[in-house]
Amino acid sequence: FSKFGRVCLEREISSVETRFGAVPLKISRLGSEIVSIKPEYETLKEIAARENLPLRTVEAEVRKNIN
């Protein structure tokens, strides 16, 4: 038995402009605090295939554009 409960984070969708075009972002919040910002995986995968780049390279480039 765990004394810890589960917390559901609020999520919102936004996007960031990159050299690859707009990339959707998932933003998770706990109250007013941003807990995580993640680029949409499927979009990263499509960009990597289209640009013939490794997924990690595309993700790193996208993350550079997140403020």
Side-chain angles (χ1 to χ4, degrees):
F1 177 73
S2 174
K3 294 181 182 181
F4 300 100
R6 181 178 168 170
V7 175
C8 288
L9 300 175
E10 294 178 33
R11 290 191 176 85
E12 67 182 77
I13 301 295
S14 187
S15 67
V16 64
E17 278 299 322
T18 71
R19 69 183 180 103
F20 306 117
V23 176
L25 302 172
K26 292 183 231 174
I27 302 172
S28 300
R29 295 179 182 268
L30 183 58
S32 62
E33 181 182 348
I34 294 176
V35 176
S36 84
I37 301 175
K38 295 183 180 179
E40 179 62 47
Y41 175 78
E42 290 299 321
T43 304
L44 295 179
K45 197 165 89 169
E46 290 170 12
I47 293 168
R50 181 183 74 220
E51 301 290 328
N52 196 29
L53 292 169
L55 184 64
R56 287 182 180 194
T57 301
V58 173
E59 183 174 10
E61 184 70 28
V62 169
R63 287 191 178 275
K64 286 181 190 175
N65 292 280
I66 298 172
N67 296 334

